[in-house]
Amino acid sequence: MHAELQLDNQICFRLYTAARFITQAYTPMLTELGITYPQYLVLMVLWEKDCQPVNDIAHRLLLETNTVTPLLQRMEKQGIITRKKGELDKRQQIVSLTEKGRHMEEKAFELIPAGMGETLKACPLQIDDYIHLANELDSIINSLKK
């Protein structure tokens, strides 16, 4: 047996499992909002800056446009966002929050930070540890996306 191929020696397995469990922890709060985790990511991008082209949203989320488009279509059907052609470039789709989408930010703020804090309180990490972890993960992401 090669040590390099043992599951317990794989950082990728730990990252995959942590991502799965974190997404699972978000699910009850996001269900209350009526959205999925990928839709939540789109909303966070739009809450930071409304009225963005689809390409910019996809770029910010490190996803392909063809991955983001079906999410946006579902969100539009839910009345959370609108999409319209760009004024300067008609090939561009500009995504904007609706009133419902803007109001969801306050509801998300009430639910999610406290909910995730409660979920993670048994974890021995302190805020500085999370900041360090985020920086380390950013390094991995930046190395792999090249």
Side-chain angles (χ1 to χ4, degrees), residues 96-112:
S96 304
L97 291 164
T98 61
E99 197 66 29
K100 179 180 178 180
R102 282 188 286 281
H103 287 309
M104 288 177 82
E105 181 178 10
E106 209 48 49
K107 181 79 170 164
F109 179 71
E110 291 170 13
L111 288 172
I112 295 171

Side-chain angles (χ1 to χ4, degrees), residues 10 20-22 30 42 44 52 55 59 67-68 72 85 108 118 125 128 131 133 145:
Q10 305 302 311
R20 230 174 16 89
F21 283 134
I22 287 172
L30 297 176
V42 169
M44 285 193 289
Q52 293 192 53
N55 290 344
H59 179 75
T67 302
V68 173
L72 298 174
K85 293 191 184 299
E118 186 64 27
L125 297 178
D128 289 343
I131 292 168
L133 178 60
K145 77 178 183 181

Side-chain angles (χ1 to χ4, degrees), residues 13-112:
F13 177 69
R14 287 173 177 82
L15 290 168
Y16 167 76
T17 304
R20 230 174 16 89
F21 283 134
I22 287 172
T23 302
Q24 186 178 345
Y26 272 93
T27 299
M29 295 167 278
L30 297 176
T31 299
E32 194 168 329
L33 291 170
I35 58 174
T36 63
Y37 185 75
Q39 290 173 328
Y40 176 58
L41 297 178
V42 169
L43 282 171
M44 285 193 289
V45 169
L46 290 171
W47 291 331
E48 287 178 22
K49 180 179 179 259
D50 200 1
C51 304
Q52 293 192 53
V54 172
N55 290 344
D56 290 2
I57 295 168
H59 179 75
R60 181 79 169 91
L61 295 175
L62 304 176
L63 295 170
E64 297 296 321
T65 308
N66 61 356
T67 302
V68 173
T69 299
L71 284 172
L72 298 174
Q73 289 170 338
R74 285 192 298 280
M75 293 172 79
E76 189 171 35
K77 285 179 184 161
Q78 291 173 275
I80 298 169
I81 58 135
T82 60
R83 295 178 303 151
K84 57 185 169 187
K85 293 191 184 299
E87 291 187 18
L88 299 176
D89 184 349
K90 299 293 183 202
R91 296 171 297 171
Q92 238 181 13
Q93 286 259 308
I94 306 298
V95 180
S96 304
L97 291 164
T98 61
E99 197 66 29
K100 179 180 178 180
R102 282 188 286 281
H103 287 309
M104 288 177 82
E105 181 178 10
E106 209 48 49
K107 181 79 170 164
F109 179 71
E110 291 170 13
L111 288 172
I112 295 171

